[in-house]
Amino acid sequence: ALRLERPLRRRVEISAVRTAQDVVFSAVELKAGWDGRNLISGEGSALTRMGSLVTLDFRPQTDYTAFTFEADDLGDLVATALGDKRLSGGDAFIEGVYRNGQIDATLKGEDIRVKQIPALGQVLTLASLRGLSDTLSGGGIKFDDYEFPIRYRDNYLFIRNGWAKGDALRINVWGAQDFSKQTMDYHGTLIPAYGVNAAFAGIPLIGDALTSNRGEGVLGLKYRLKGRFGTPQAEINPFSLVLPGFLRRILDEKREDPLPPVDVTSPRKS
């Protein structure tokens, strides 16, 4: 984790910042201060290549920093920053804390479309969801809502019970990726035809037994995506398709978090 010998304060106002593939952020403003440990203060904003607004706000607390990040168009933000156009549309809101080199946050938003993501396509194809795989390769799959609780420390990213859902598909995600080792290990549940499948969750007693309390429908396939970046291997458990929701929940509860959460209650150590 980065440590400074002395406090840092900066105010930046730039008309444009050039990023990937000669695209730019415009109207960039950043005013921030950092004590070199846990306290960051300030705010920032910028416009993406298509003029959508991005804002960042830091609020120092007793011994940690709370922050928020908002993007009016997540797909446009990613395209501007990285040149990656596999996401389109979708607003995004991140709320989290920073302490002792670790970030704990939740990313959530609505109305995003994803396409041409090989790892997801591999999972969908292996799950015999060929129609969804073809949609992913074409116009993309639309998700009405998504939420991903994340923890990040020392080039290690952990997603704890993240999900994205739309009428065609819901996908639940739990796992991590190590940027230093260039490896990933994610698993979760695919729920096809989610708009119809999840309707059973509203049936008293029967819905509780057949579906998961995290929004899984009656039919759900357990998957795993593990390996090196660029060449991960997908696995599907076909027997999970017929498991009642309460049994799938029991299997999920055996998982242990590889990265513990930030403790914002401990007193500061000198």
Side-chain angles (χ1 to χ4, degrees):
L2 180 62
R3 291 289 185 272
L4 297 180
E5 296 295 330
R6 57 185 179 180
L8 175 67
R9 299 184 186 280
R10 288 291 184 268
R11 181 183 180 93
V12 178
E13 294 185 18
I14 305 174
S15 60
V17 174
R18 192 170 301 277
T19 59
Q21 299 181 355
D22 292 330
V23 295
V24 298
F25 283 101
S26 60
V28 178
E29 296 184 10
L30 176 63
K31 179 178 66 176
W34 188 18
D35 71 346
R37 299 186 64 176
N38 293 322
L39 302 184
I40 306 172
S41 60
E43 58 188 10
S45 63
L47 298 177
T48 63
R49 60 185 185 129
M50 301 299 293
S52 61
L53 180 64
V54 179
T55 61
L56 177 64
D57 182 59
F58 297 105
R59 303 180 305 279
Q61 309 297 311
T62 304
D63 189 33
Y64 67 94
T65 296
F67 67 89
T68 56
F69 175 89
E70 293 187 66
D72 289 345
D73 189 323
L74 180 59
D76 190 25
L77 170 62
V78 173
T80 304
L82 305 175
D84 191 334
K85 299 180 181 179
R86 293 178 294 179
L87 301 179
S88 60
D91 57 18
F93 178 76
I94 301 176
E95 185 173 28
V97 297
Y98 169 83
R99 185 174 190 261
N100 294 337
Q102 181 169 322
I103 294 172
D104 281 18
T106 298
L107 164 64
K108 62 177 63 176
E110 300 177 343
D111 298 327
I112 192 166
R113 187 176 297 273
V114 301
K115 62 181 180 179
Q116 297 176 349
I117 299 179
L120 179 56
Q122 186 181 3
V123 172
L124 293 175
T125 299
L126 192 60
S128 298
L129 301 175
R130 186 65 189 182
L132 285 174
S133 180
D134 291 342
T135 301
L136 182 68
S137 300
I141 298 175
K142 182 177 181 295
F143 293 101
D144 299 321
D145 302 281
Y146 63 90
E147 182 173 315
F148 291 91
I150 60 176
R151 299 173 190 168
Y152 179 82
R153 184 184 185 92
D154 296 332
N155 288 324
Y156 188 87
L157 175 68
F158 170 49
I159 299 177
R160 191 181 194 279
N161 295 329
W163 54 266
K165 65 179 177 71
D167 286 341
L169 176 71
R170 171 169 174 141
I171 181 168
N172 293 349
V173 183
W174 191 99
Q177 58 189 76
D178 190 321
F179 292 96
S180 297
K181 297 179 180 178
Q182 295 285 290
T183 59
M184 67 173 68
D185 188 1
Y186 288 109
H187 46 93
T189 308
L190 296 172
I191 303 98
Y194 180 72
V196 175
N197 203 342
F200 289 92
I203 302 176
L205 299 179
I206 296 176
D208 293 338
L210 294 180
T211 63
S212 169
N213 57 3
R214 278 187 294 275
E216 295 182 6
V218 173
L219 300 179
L221 278 168
K222 292 291 184 182
Y223 73 89
R224 187 172 191 179
L225 192 63
K226 182 179 181 180
R228 296 191 60 81
F229 291 178
T231 58
Q233 298 299 308
E235 302 174 3
I236 293 291
N237 179 358
F239 298 106
S240 63
L241 183 65
V242 295
L243 283 179
F246 75 92
L247 289 180
R248 295 201 297 265
R249 290 197 299 270
I250 291 174
L251 293 175
D252 289 345
E253 288 170 357
K254 294 181 179 180
R255 301 180 302 202
E256 295 184 2
D257 294 358
L259 188 63
V262 166
D263 180 4
V264 295
T265 61
S266 298
R268 180 170 180 166
K269 296 180 180 180
S270 58

